[in-house]
Amino acid sequence: MKLLLFFTACALLSCFSVRNDSTGRPHIDRGEAKAAFALLNDIRQRPDAFQRELGISSLKGITRTPLHWNSTLAKVAEARAMDMARRDYFDHTDPDGFGPNYHINRAGYTLNPDWLKQKAANNFESIGANHPSAVDGIKSMIIGKNSPGFGHRKHLLGLDEWNASLNDVGIGFVRVPSGSRYQSYICVIIAKHDW
């Protein structure tokens, strides 16, 4: 009987602590990140099938080269999204003045030294905030909501020579249940080692 009470108490305590963590702290949702990755590759492979859904008259010029999931870039994207959630900011440059190129290279995904000359440099990151899902975040960035000059669309769909040459991807999606200006953050890093 004592053993049963002990296991019941342990189960209740573990439920309580998980419940507290999930309601008060930001958490990474890898399932959402993988769904966003699948959607992004699907749009790149079959752009005509998404024109109506995205409300874009033409998706011509999209590179049809599939993106390859890169675990290092995924860890950087998760860390970037989590940092924004924990420190309650939304920017390509963190509060310490470092940009995505710095974080990517520091994680072990080596970049051309020319891309590291400015500590706030960003050649590889698209970010979004306050989307109910990572899929919604990808769609919003492609549509161009809150993205000056459609920069996210160019990056995500490889619409110019530079972005078409990028082929490794990592996505991080973080939910923020409370205590932040935003309820979620998505970070998409599409990169390559050298030109």
Side-chain angles (χ1 to χ4, degrees), residues 76-97:
V76 174
E78 288 176 354
R80 295 275 300 126
M82 184 60 82
D83 187 57
M84 286 186 275
R86 285 185 176 148
R87 297 206 273 177
D88 198 22
Y89 72 96
F90 180 65
D91 201 320
H92 292 293
T93 305
D94 69 24
D96 304 315

Side-chain angles (χ1 to χ4, degrees), residues 66-140:
L67 296 169
H68 302 283
W69 188 261
N70 181 283
S71 60
T72 301
L73 294 180
K75 286 177 186 172
V76 174
E78 288 176 354
R80 295 275 300 126
M82 184 60 82
D83 187 57
M84 286 186 275
R86 285 185 176 148
R87 297 206 273 177
D88 198 22
Y89 72 96
F90 180 65
D91 201 320
H92 292 293
T93 305
D94 69 24
D96 304 315
F98 294 101
N101 291 14
Y102 168 83
H103 292 290
I104 292 166
N105 194 68
R106 186 168 182 239
Y109 187 95
T110 55
L111 298 176
N112 181 312
D114 288 340
W115 304 337
L116 301 169
K117 289 181 179 176
Q118 296 178 8
K119 76 176 195 174
N122 174 25
N123 299 92
F124 307 110
E125 180 183 78
S126 289
I127 56 175
N130 227 23
H131 300 290
S133 71
V135 164
D136 290 322
I138 292 291
K139 289 177 183 178
S140 179

Side-chain angles (χ1 to χ4, degrees), residues 31 57-58 67 80 153 155 161 164 181:
S57 60
S58 176
L67 296 169
R80 295 275 300 126
R153 186 186 299 176
H155 177 233
E161 183 182 6
R181 286 179 283 171

